[in-house]
Amino acid sequence: MPESVRLVPPPLVPTWLPWALGEVGVREVAGAKDEPQIRQYHAAAGGPTADEVPWCLTGDAEILTAQGWVPFARLEDGTQVAQVDPGTLVVGLTNPLAVIRRDYEGPLLTVERRSLRLSMDPRHRLFGAWKQVDRRAFVQTWPDWELFPAGDLTTGQASEVSIPAIGGTAQGRPAPYSDRDLRLFAAFLADGCIHRGRIDVQVSRDDKIDMLASYEPAHRYDAPRAYGPRSRRPLTTFTFDVPSWFDAAQQSYKVLDPAFVWSLDRRQARLLLDAVLAFDGTIAGSPEFGQRVLGQASKERIDAFHHLAVVAGYPSLTREPRRLGEFDSEVFTLGYSPRPRPTRIVADQVSTAFAKTRLYCVTVSSGLIVVRPPFGQAVIVGNCSAFVNWVMVQAGNLGTGAKRARSWLAWGKALAEPVLGCVVVLWRETPESPKGHVGFFVAARNGKVFVLGGNQGNEVSVRAYPASRVLAYRWPKP
């Protein structure tokens, strides 16, 4: 006999429940069909509407795409872009719901701090942990990640925001490349060449010689003495057979192909970038936590490595070219850190000025994209409470007007037991975490609650959650 579902009957069927049930199946994915409805959800929670797009930056800002870093002014329709999951901070590719290009005349906000300079519409949302000042009658630090207008930093409503580090790509995907071949590829990119259909890598440092010897070379040659004015030690040449995927992994000679970079999971990306650093970079500070610095003579190469650093989940930035030591040409550098440090922006680092310009951006289902200035730091910029707010508005009730799931803990009145259609608030990660999820209670069975909500598998759906994760059941006040 199938197990019965325990439904707790409410005094009356809530007026908002038919609105919620009517949205089941609406997906937060690419495609014009559902975009107007998703916009309505966001608008009910203070997000963008059709005539107010707070996603716009100047054309020199660059967005991470399937083709690597692309200036907004050169972004073509149909190009996949990187989006960030707001709960896990994992980055992946998606088809944008819209590509925005518009003429703008009015105040232009500029964030300017070391390694980061971006100009945007003041209504553009920044994503992070905000230190709010007298917002909705509260004076506190909000530890959860939120999307609020960048202009709040200039109006006294907020004093700072800490943008979390990008989490890299998902772990555990099938790995088509062996660790040995990825390390060999790094050695080729740093010190190698193709000679007679094979890879030759010439090095003189003992640590590099030891590394290459462990990669099982086809041949090794130790020169009897040093040659040339710059060589102080004899060179050792290692010869390797070329793995079948090496050519496809390069967009041009020694420039990583963006598709190859996107094919790596976070662990592989870290392995490759750290191996390149071992052959061709330095560490400033302690080996464990010091800044990693990688130099290249080509901006194309350094941009590809910056893409790799984002996939690896390393906080990273590029710097303008400069001459270093005895080198005749300018050197482009990438700096990255093994620690996931947030980017802190304070009110003093934000200014506004009148401008007449063209602004650009995209709309993605997660609400978060990855951008950078032409030289500088890669950052996340700018959903679960939006759907619940929209439903309440349709039924003539006031929601919280906020996307923060736990904002519903202070809404309406508490219920000792759930009733059909009541608002249910759940914790995410840990009960003490500021993160949460919110939806409408449908049923309870076998230690689980069934919740009708948005952003559940990127769509409006009914999904089961452990009852132990429930923080509260809420009902509107009379």
Side-chain angles (χ1 to χ4, degrees), residues 91-123:
V91 64
L93 289 173
T94 188
N95 295 311
L97 300 171
V99 178
I100 301 157
R101 307 174 184 93
R102 62 183 180 127
D103 293 325
Y104 177 78
E105 185 173 351
L108 192 69
L109 181 146
T110 298
V111 174
E112 189 162 12
R113 65 186 298 275
R114 187 178 64 175
S115 76
L116 182 65
R117 190 182 193 280
L118 292 171
S119 296
M120 64 198 74
D121 177 339
R123 294 172 296 176

PDB file of all heavy atoms in Angstrom, residues 91-123:
ATOM      1  N   VAL A  91      31.129  28.640 -11.019  1.00  0.00           N
ATOM      2  CA  VAL A  91      30.966  29.359 -12.277  1.00  0.00           C
ATOM      3  C   VAL A  91      30.790  28.372 -13.419  1.00  0.00           C
ATOM      4  O   VAL A  91      31.391  27.290 -13.429  1.00  0.00           O
ATOM      5  CB  VAL A  91      32.177  30.292 -12.536  1.00  0.00           C
ATOM      6  CG1 VAL A  91      33.459  29.500 -12.719  1.00  0.00           C
ATOM      7  CG2 VAL A  91      31.951  31.190 -13.743  1.00  0.00           C
ATOM      8  N   GLY A  92      29.928  28.730 -14.375  1.00  0.00           N
ATOM      9  CA  GLY A  92      29.707  27.900 -15.551  1.00  0.00           C
ATOM     10  C   GLY A  92      29.119  28.733 -16.670  1.00  0.00           C
ATOM     11  O   GLY A  92      28.775  29.902 -16.478  1.00  0.00           O
ATOM     12  N   LEU A  93      28.982  28.143 -17.840  1.00  0.00           N
ATOM     13  CA  LEU A  93      28.511  28.871 -19.017  1.00  0.00           C
ATOM     14  C   LEU A  93      26.996  28.767 -19.152  1.00  0.00           C
ATOM     15  O   LEU A  93      26.391  27.759 -18.782  1.00  0.00           O
ATOM     16  CB  LEU A  93      29.171  28.329 -20.281  1.00  0.00           C
ATOM     17  CG  LEU A  93      30.656  28.643 -20.454  1.00  0.00           C
ATOM     18  CD1 LEU A  93      31.223  27.897 -21.665  1.00  0.00           C
ATOM     19  CD2 LEU A  93      30.886  30.139 -20.606  1.00  0.00           C
ATOM     20  N   THR A  94      26.389  29.820 -19.696  1.00  0.00           N
ATOM     21  CA  THR A  94      24.951  29.837 -19.958  1.00  0.00           C
ATOM     22  C   THR A  94      24.672  30.726 -21.154  1.00  0.00           C
ATOM     23  O   THR A  94      25.483  31.592 -21.508  1.00  0.00           O
ATOM     24  CB  THR A  94      24.171  30.347 -18.726  1.00  0.00           C
ATOM     25  OG1 THR A  94      22.768  30.173 -18.951  1.00  0.00           O
ATOM     26  CG2 THR A  94      24.434  31.826 -18.477  1.00  0.00           C
ATOM     27  N   ASN A  95      23.515  30.524 -21.776  1.00  0.00           N
ATOM     28  CA  ASN A  95      23.048  31.438 -22.809  1.00  0.00           C
ATOM     29  C   ASN A  95      22.353  32.613 -22.124  1.00  0.00           C
ATOM     30  O   ASN A  95      21.434  32.393 -21.319  1.00  0.00           O
ATOM     31  CB  ASN A  95      22.062  30.743 -23.746  1.00  0.00           C
ATOM     32  CG  ASN A  95      22.711  29.628 -24.535  1.00  0.00           C
ATOM     33  OD1 ASN A  95      23.766  29.814 -25.129  1.00  0.00           O
ATOM     34  ND2 ASN A  95      22.092  28.456 -24.526  1.00  0.00           N
ATOM     35  N   PRO A  96      22.767  33.841 -22.383  1.00  0.00           N
ATOM     36  CA  PRO A  96      22.123  34.976 -21.715  1.00  0.00           C
ATOM     37  C   PRO A  96      20.666  35.112 -22.133  1.00  0.00           C
ATOM     38  O   PRO A  96      20.295  34.831 -23.274  1.00  0.00           O
ATOM     39  CB  PRO A  96      22.955  36.181 -22.169  1.00  0.00           C
ATOM     40  CG  PRO A  96      23.630  35.751 -23.420  1.00  0.00           C
ATOM     41  CD  PRO A  96      23.844  34.272 -23.297  1.00  0.00           C
ATOM     42  N   LEU A  97      19.848  35.538 -21.181  1.00  0.00           N
ATOM     43  CA  LEU A  97      18.450  35.805 -21.480  1.00  0.00           C
ATOM     44  C   LEU A  97      18.308  37.050 -22.350  1.00  0.00           C
ATOM     45  O   LEU A  97      17.363  37.168 -23.124  1.00  0.00           O
ATOM     46  CB  LEU A  97      17.667  35.994 -20.185  1.00  0.00           C
ATOM     47  CG  LEU A  97      17.657  34.805 -19.223  1.00  0.00           C
ATOM     48  CD1 LEU A  97      17.022  35.214 -17.896  1.00  0.00           C
ATOM     49  CD2 LEU A  97      16.924  33.628 -19.828  1.00  0.00           C
ATOM     50  N   ALA A  98      19.238  37.978 -22.189  1.00  0.00           N
ATOM     51  CA  ALA A  98      19.209  39.209 -22.976  1.00  0.00           C
ATOM     52  C   ALA A  98      20.601  39.812 -23.007  1.00  0.00           C
ATOM     53  O   ALA A  98      21.374  39.657 -22.063  1.00  0.00           O
ATOM     54  CB  ALA A  98      18.215  40.209 -22.382  1.00  0.00           C
ATOM     55  N   VAL A  99      20.919  40.477 -24.104  1.00  0.00           N
ATOM     56  CA  VAL A  99      22.133  41.281 -24.211  1.00  0.00           C
ATOM     57  C   VAL A  99      21.692  42.732 -24.279  1.00  0.00           C
ATOM     58  O   VAL A  99      20.884  43.107 -25.129  1.00  0.00           O
ATOM     59  CB  VAL A  99      22.973  40.910 -25.452  1.00  0.00           C
ATOM     60  CG1 VAL A  99      24.194  41.810 -25.554  1.00  0.00           C
ATOM     61  CG2 VAL A  99      23.385  39.441 -25.394  1.00  0.00           C
ATOM     62  N   ILE A 100      22.188  43.538 -23.355  1.00  0.00           N
ATOM     63  CA  ILE A 100      21.689  44.901 -23.177  1.00  0.00           C
ATOM     64  C   ILE A 100      22.707  45.899 -23.724  1.00  0.00           C
ATOM     65  O   ILE A 100      23.887  45.855 -23.374  1.00  0.00           O
ATOM     66  CB  ILE A 100      21.425  45.192 -21.682  1.00  0.00           C
ATOM     67  CG1 ILE A 100      20.392  44.190 -21.147  1.00  0.00           C
ATOM     68  CG2 ILE A 100      20.969  46.625 -21.467  1.00  0.00           C
ATOM     69  CD1 ILE A 100      20.454  44.005 -19.668  1.00  0.00           C
ATOM     70  N   ARG A 101      22.224  46.778 -24.589  1.00  0.00           N
ATOM     71  CA  ARG A 101      23.036  47.886 -25.095  1.00  0.00           C
ATOM     72  C   ARG A 101      22.126  49.106 -25.105  1.00  0.00           C
ATOM     73  O   ARG A 101      21.089  49.069 -25.761  1.00  0.00           O
ATOM     74  CB  ARG A 101      23.557  47.602 -26.503  1.00  0.00           C
ATOM     75  CG  ARG A 101      24.289  46.275 -26.667  1.00  0.00           C
ATOM     76  CD  ARG A 101      24.650  46.021 -28.134  1.00  0.00           C
ATOM     77  NE  ARG A 101      25.257  44.715 -28.329  1.00  0.00           N
ATOM     78  CZ  ARG A 101      24.596  43.613 -28.644  1.00  0.00           C
ATOM     79  NH1 ARG A 101      23.273  43.680 -28.787  1.00  0.00           N
ATOM     80  NH2 ARG A 101      25.218  42.467 -28.802  1.00  0.00           N
ATOM     81  N   ARG A 102      22.511  50.159 -24.415  1.00  0.00           N
ATOM     82  CA  ARG A 102      21.618  51.316 -24.382  1.00  0.00           C
ATOM     83  C   ARG A 102      22.410  52.601 -24.203  1.00  0.00           C
ATOM     84  O   ARG A 102      23.463  52.623 -23.550  1.00  0.00           O
ATOM     85  CB  ARG A 102      20.598  51.176 -23.251  1.00  0.00           C
ATOM     86  CG  ARG A 102      21.194  51.124 -21.855  1.00  0.00           C
ATOM     87  CD  ARG A 102      20.116  50.919 -20.811  1.00  0.00           C
ATOM     88  NE  ARG A 102      20.653  50.872 -19.465  1.00  0.00           N
ATOM     89  CZ  ARG A 102      20.248  51.614 -18.464  1.00  0.00           C
ATOM     90  NH1 ARG A 102      19.312  52.526 -18.633  1.00  0.00           N
ATOM     91  NH2 ARG A 102      20.777  51.481 -17.259  1.00  0.00           N
ATOM     92  N   ASP A 103      21.907  53.663 -24.809  1.00  0.00           N
ATOM     93  CA  ASP A 103      22.481  54.987 -24.605  1.00  0.00           C
ATOM     94  C   ASP A 103      22.056  55.498 -23.231  1.00  0.00           C
ATOM     95  O   ASP A 103      20.939  55.256 -22.784  1.00  0.00           O
ATOM     96  CB  ASP A 103      22.006  55.943 -25.694  1.00  0.00           C
ATOM     97  CG  ASP A 103      22.545  55.567 -27.062  1.00  0.00           C
ATOM     98  OD1 ASP A 103      23.697  55.092 -27.126  1.00  0.00           O
ATOM     99  OD2 ASP A 103      21.816  55.729 -28.062  1.00  0.00           O
ATOM    100  N   TYR A 104      22.955  56.199 -22.592  1.00  0.00           N
ATOM    101  CA  TYR A 104      22.694  56.613 -21.212  1.00  0.00           C
ATOM    102  C   TYR A 104      23.186  58.047 -21.017  1.00  0.00           C
ATOM    103  O   TYR A 104      24.261  58.415 -21.480  1.00  0.00           O
ATOM    104  CB  TYR A 104      23.417  55.673 -20.249  1.00  0.00           C
ATOM    105  CG  TYR A 104      23.276  56.043 -18.786  1.00  0.00           C
ATOM    106  CD1 TYR A 104      22.121  55.748 -18.079  1.00  0.00           C
ATOM    107  CD2 TYR A 104      24.313  56.698 -18.116  1.00  0.00           C
ATOM    108  CE1 TYR A 104      21.995  56.079 -16.735  1.00  0.00           C
ATOM    109  CE2 TYR A 104      24.200  57.036 -16.786  1.00  0.00           C
ATOM    110  CZ  TYR A 104      23.035  56.716 -16.088  1.00  0.00           C
ATOM    111  OH  TYR A 104      22.912  57.048 -14.766  1.00  0.00           O
ATOM    112  N   GLU A 105      22.387  58.802 -20.303  1.00  0.00           N
ATOM    113  CA  GLU A 105      22.772  60.166 -19.944  1.00  0.00           C
ATOM    114  C   GLU A 105      22.328  60.389 -18.499  1.00  0.00           C
ATOM    115  O   GLU A 105      21.142  60.336 -18.174  1.00  0.00           O
ATOM    116  CB  GLU A 105      22.105  61.180 -20.867  1.00  0.00           C
ATOM    117  CG  GLU A 105      22.559  62.620 -20.623  1.00  0.00           C
ATOM    118  CD  GLU A 105      22.009  63.586 -21.651  1.00  0.00           C
ATOM    119  OE1 GLU A 105      21.416  63.120 -22.656  1.00  0.00           O
ATOM    120  OE2 GLU A 105      22.168  64.816 -21.459  1.00  0.00           O
ATOM    121  N   GLY A 106      23.308  60.606 -17.627  1.00  0.00           N
ATOM    122  CA  GLY A 106      22.984  60.775 -16.220  1.00  0.00           C
ATOM    123  C   GLY A 106      24.183  60.478 -15.346  1.00  0.00           C
ATOM    124  O   GLY A 106      25.327  60.399 -15.828  1.00  0.00           O
ATOM    125  N   PRO A 107      23.968  60.261 -14.054  1.00  0.00           N
ATOM    126  CA  PRO A 107      25.096  59.999 -13.154  1.00  0.00           C
ATOM    127  C   PRO A 107      25.731  58.645 -13.465  1.00  0.00           C
ATOM    128  O   PRO A 107      25.030  57.654 -13.709  1.00  0.00           O
ATOM    129  CB  PRO A 107      24.456  60.006 -11.767  1.00  0.00           C
ATOM    130  CG  PRO A 107      23.018  59.706 -12.006  1.00  0.00           C
ATOM    131  CD  PRO A 107      22.684  60.297 -13.335  1.00  0.00           C
ATOM    132  N   LEU A 108      27.034  58.616 -13.475  1.00  0.00           N
ATOM    133  CA  LEU A 108      27.793  57.394 -13.702  1.00  0.00           C
ATOM    134  C   LEU A 108      28.651  57.139 -12.465  1.00  0.00           C
ATOM    135  O   LEU A 108      29.414  58.006 -12.036  1.00  0.00           O
ATOM    136  CB  LEU A 108      28.674  57.520 -14.946  1.00  0.00           C
ATOM    137  CG  LEU A 108      29.303  56.225 -15.459  1.00  0.00           C
ATOM    138  CD1 LEU A 108      28.233  55.306 -16.033  1.00  0.00           C
ATOM    139  CD2 LEU A 108      30.357  56.520 -16.526  1.00  0.00           C
ATOM    140  N   LEU A 109      28.512  55.968 -11.909  1.00  0.00           N
ATOM    141  CA  LEU A 109      29.239  55.619 -10.685  1.00  0.00           C
ATOM    142  C   LEU A 109      30.515  54.876 -11.050  1.00  0.00           C
ATOM    143  O   LEU A 109      30.505  53.999 -11.918  1.00  0.00           O
ATOM    144  CB  LEU A 109      28.344  54.750  -9.798  1.00  0.00           C
ATOM    145  CG  LEU A 109      28.888  54.294  -8.448  1.00  0.00           C
ATOM    146  CD1 LEU A 109      27.757  54.226  -7.427  1.00  0.00           C
ATOM    147  CD2 LEU A 109      29.544  52.912  -8.559  1.00  0.00           C
ATOM    148  N   THR A 110      31.619  55.223 -10.400  1.00  0.00           N
ATOM    149  CA  THR A 110      32.900  54.560 -10.642  1.00  0.00           C
ATOM    150  C   THR A 110      33.442  53.999  -9.335  1.00  0.00           C
ATOM    151  O   THR A 110      33.571  54.723  -8.344  1.00  0.00           O
ATOM    152  CB  THR A 110      33.935  55.520 -11.251  1.00  0.00           C
ATOM    153  OG1 THR A 110      33.449  55.982 -12.516  1.00  0.00           O
ATOM    154  CG2 THR A 110      35.276  54.827 -11.467  1.00  0.00           C
ATOM    155  N   VAL A 111      33.723  52.704  -9.345  1.00  0.00           N
ATOM    156  CA  VAL A 111      34.418  52.048  -8.237  1.00  0.00           C
ATOM    157  C   VAL A 111      35.899  52.043  -8.585  1.00  0.00           C
ATOM    158  O   VAL A 111      36.284  51.542  -9.647  1.00  0.00           O
ATOM    159  CB  VAL A 111      33.923  50.606  -8.044  1.00  0.00           C
ATOM    160  CG1 VAL A 111      34.750  49.890  -6.986  1.00  0.00           C
ATOM    161  CG2 VAL A 111      32.453  50.595  -7.672  1.00  0.00           C
ATOM    162  N   GLU A 112      36.714  52.613  -7.713  1.00  0.00           N
ATOM    163  CA  GLU A 112      38.147  52.685  -7.995  1.00  0.00           C
ATOM    164  C   GLU A 112      38.933  52.339  -6.742  1.00  0.00           C
ATOM    165  O   GLU A 112      38.919  53.065  -5.756  1.00  0.00           O
ATOM    166  CB  GLU A 112      38.534  54.077  -8.498  1.00  0.00           C
ATOM    167  CG  GLU A 112      39.955  54.146  -9.014  1.00  0.00           C
ATOM    168  CD  GLU A 112      40.209  55.351  -9.893  1.00  0.00           C
ATOM    169  OE1 GLU A 112      39.348  56.259  -9.916  1.00  0.00           O
ATOM    170  OE2 GLU A 112      41.253  55.389 -10.559  1.00  0.00           O
ATOM    171  N   ARG A 113      39.544  51.195  -6.786  1.00  0.00           N
ATOM    172  CA  ARG A 113      40.424  50.738  -5.718  1.00  0.00           C
ATOM    173  C   ARG A 113      41.599  50.039  -6.377  1.00  0.00           C
ATOM    174  O   ARG A 113      41.610  49.829  -7.588  1.00  0.00           O
ATOM    175  CB  ARG A 113      39.706  49.784  -4.753  1.00  0.00           C
ATOM    176  CG  ARG A 113      39.284  48.480  -5.413  1.00  0.00           C
ATOM    177  CD  ARG A 113      38.455  47.598  -4.509  1.00  0.00           C
ATOM    178  NE  ARG A 113      39.147  47.184  -3.321  1.00  0.00           N
ATOM    179  CZ  ARG A 113      39.967  46.134  -3.240  1.00  0.00           C
ATOM    180  NH1 ARG A 113      40.235  45.424  -4.325  1.00  0.00           N
ATOM    181  NH2 ARG A 113      40.521  45.810  -2.096  1.00  0.00           N
ATOM    182  N   ARG A 114      42.576  49.686  -5.585  1.00  0.00           N
ATOM    183  CA  ARG A 114      43.731  49.006  -6.166  1.00  0.00           C
ATOM    184  C   ARG A 114      43.284  47.754  -6.906  1.00  0.00           C
ATOM    185  O   ARG A 114      42.566  46.928  -6.366  1.00  0.00           O
ATOM    186  CB  ARG A 114      44.705  48.617  -5.051  1.00  0.00           C
ATOM    187  CG  ARG A 114      46.019  48.051  -5.566  1.00  0.00           C
ATOM    188  CD  ARG A 114      46.956  47.725  -4.427  1.00  0.00           C
ATOM    189  NE  ARG A 114      46.414  46.663  -3.586  1.00  0.00           N
ATOM    190  CZ  ARG A 114      47.075  46.109  -2.573  1.00  0.00           C
ATOM    191  NH1 ARG A 114      48.271  46.546  -2.249  1.00  0.00           N
ATOM    192  NH2 ARG A 114      46.520  45.154  -1.855  1.00  0.00           N
ATOM    193  N   SER A 115      43.643  47.647  -8.155  1.00  0.00           N
ATOM    194  CA  SER A 115      43.376  46.512  -9.035  1.00  0.00           C
ATOM    195  C   SER A 115      41.935  46.417  -9.526  1.00  0.00           C
ATOM    196  O   SER A 115      41.583  45.457 -10.207  1.00  0.00           O
ATOM    197  CB  SER A 115      43.755  45.183  -8.367  1.00  0.00           C
ATOM    198  OG  SER A 115      42.801  44.798  -7.400  1.00  0.00           O
ATOM    199  N   LEU A 116      41.091  47.402  -9.224  1.00  0.00           N
ATOM    200  CA  LEU A 116      39.714  47.330  -9.703  1.00  0.00           C
ATOM    201  C   LEU A 116      39.199  48.720 -10.016  1.00  0.00           C
ATOM    202  O   LEU A 116      39.152  49.594  -9.146  1.00  0.00           O
ATOM    203  CB  LEU A 116      38.815  46.674  -8.651  1.00  0.00           C
ATOM    204  CG  LEU A 116      37.350  46.493  -9.058  1.00  0.00           C
ATOM    205  CD1 LEU A 116      37.235  45.521 -10.232  1.00  0.00           C
ATOM    206  CD2 LEU A 116      36.526  45.984  -7.878  1.00  0.00           C
ATOM    207  N   ARG A 117      38.794  48.920 -11.285  1.00  0.00           N
ATOM    208  CA  ARG A 117      38.166  50.170 -11.697  1.00  0.00           C
ATOM    209  C   ARG A 117      37.050  49.856 -12.675  1.00  0.00           C
ATOM    210  O   ARG A 117      37.286  49.420 -13.807  1.00  0.00           O
ATOM    211  CB  ARG A 117      39.170  51.126 -12.341  1.00  0.00           C
ATOM    212  CG  ARG A 117      38.594  52.527 -12.562  1.00  0.00           C
ATOM    213  CD  ARG A 117      39.578  53.465 -13.238  1.00  0.00           C
ATOM    214  NE  ARG A 117      39.143  54.842 -13.168  1.00  0.00           N
ATOM    215  CZ  ARG A 117      38.233  55.405 -13.962  1.00  0.00           C
ATOM    216  NH1 ARG A 117      37.650  54.654 -14.909  1.00  0.00           N
ATOM    217  NH2 ARG A 117      37.899  56.662 -13.815  1.00  0.00           N
ATOM    218  N   LEU A 118      35.805  50.051 -12.221  1.00  0.00           N
ATOM    219  CA  LEU A 118      34.633  49.776 -13.045  1.00  0.00           C
ATOM    220  C   LEU A 118      33.674  50.948 -12.959  1.00  0.00           C
ATOM    221  O   LEU A 118      33.444  51.485 -11.870  1.00  0.00           O
ATOM    222  CB  LEU A 118      33.926  48.504 -12.576  1.00  0.00           C
ATOM    223  CG  LEU A 118      34.648  47.168 -12.775  1.00  0.00           C
ATOM    224  CD1 LEU A 118      33.907  46.056 -12.052  1.00  0.00           C
ATOM    225  CD2 LEU A 118      34.789  46.841 -14.253  1.00  0.00           C
ATOM    226  N   SER A 119      33.091  51.329 -14.098  1.00  0.00           N
ATOM    227  CA  SER A 119      32.100  52.396 -14.140  1.00  0.00           C
ATOM    228  C   SER A 119      30.762  51.811 -14.552  1.00  0.00           C
ATOM    229  O   SER A 119      30.690  50.969 -15.459  1.00  0.00           O
ATOM    230  CB  SER A 119      32.515  53.496 -15.127  1.00  0.00           C
ATOM    231  OG  SER A 119      33.713  54.111 -14.688  1.00  0.00           O
ATOM    232  N   MET A 120      29.680  52.300 -13.899  1.00  0.00           N
ATOM    233  CA  MET A 120      28.380  51.667 -14.093  1.00  0.00           C
ATOM    234  C   MET A 120      27.255  52.631 -13.756  1.00  0.00           C
ATOM    235  O   MET A 120      27.459  53.670 -13.115  1.00  0.00           O
ATOM    236  CB  MET A 120      28.276  50.438 -13.194  1.00  0.00           C
ATOM    237  CG  MET A 120      28.322  50.767 -11.702  1.00  0.00           C
ATOM    238  SD  MET A 120      28.712  49.349 -10.644  1.00  0.00           S
ATOM    239  CE  MET A 120      30.477  49.173 -10.971  1.00  0.00           C
ATOM    240  N   ASP A 121      26.063  52.254 -14.189  1.00  0.00           N
ATOM    241  CA  ASP A 121      24.835  52.900 -13.757  1.00  0.00           C
ATOM    242  C   ASP A 121      24.718  52.737 -12.233  1.00  0.00           C
ATOM    243  O   ASP A 121      24.931  51.636 -11.721  1.00  0.00           O
ATOM    244  CB  ASP A 121      23.692  52.179 -14.479  1.00  0.00           C
ATOM    245  CG  ASP A 121      22.305  52.663 -14.114  1.00  0.00           C
ATOM    246  OD1 ASP A 121      22.132  53.273 -13.052  1.00  0.00           O
ATOM    247  OD2 ASP A 121      21.383  52.402 -14.905  1.00  0.00           O
ATOM    248  N   PRO A 122      24.371  53.792 -11.486  1.00  0.00           N
ATOM    249  CA  PRO A 122      24.249  53.642 -10.025  1.00  0.00           C
ATOM    250  C   PRO A 122      23.229  52.592  -9.596  1.00  0.00           C
ATOM    251  O   PRO A 122      23.289  52.111  -8.465  1.00  0.00           O
ATOM    252  CB  PRO A 122      23.819  55.039  -9.564  1.00  0.00           C
ATOM    253  CG  PRO A 122      24.308  55.963 -10.624  1.00  0.00           C
ATOM    254  CD  PRO A 122      24.190  55.191 -11.902  1.00  0.00           C
ATOM    255  N   ARG A 123      22.283  52.222 -10.494  1.00  0.00           N
ATOM    256  CA  ARG A 123      21.304  51.194 -10.138  1.00  0.00           C
ATOM    257  C   ARG A 123      21.829  49.782 -10.330  1.00  0.00           C
ATOM    258  O   ARG A 123      21.180  48.810  -9.939  1.00  0.00           O
ATOM    259  CB  ARG A 123      20.033  51.381 -10.966  1.00  0.00           C
ATOM    260  CG  ARG A 123      19.287  52.660 -10.664  1.00  0.00           C
ATOM    261  CD  ARG A 123      18.158  52.871 -11.661  1.00  0.00           C
ATOM    262  NE  ARG A 123      18.673  53.054 -13.027  1.00  0.00           N
ATOM    263  CZ  ARG A 123      17.913  53.179 -14.101  1.00  0.00           C
ATOM    264  NH1 ARG A 123      16.606  53.146 -13.984  1.00  0.00           N
ATOM    265  NH2 ARG A 123      18.445  53.346 -15.294  1.00  0.00           N
TER     266      ARG A 123
END
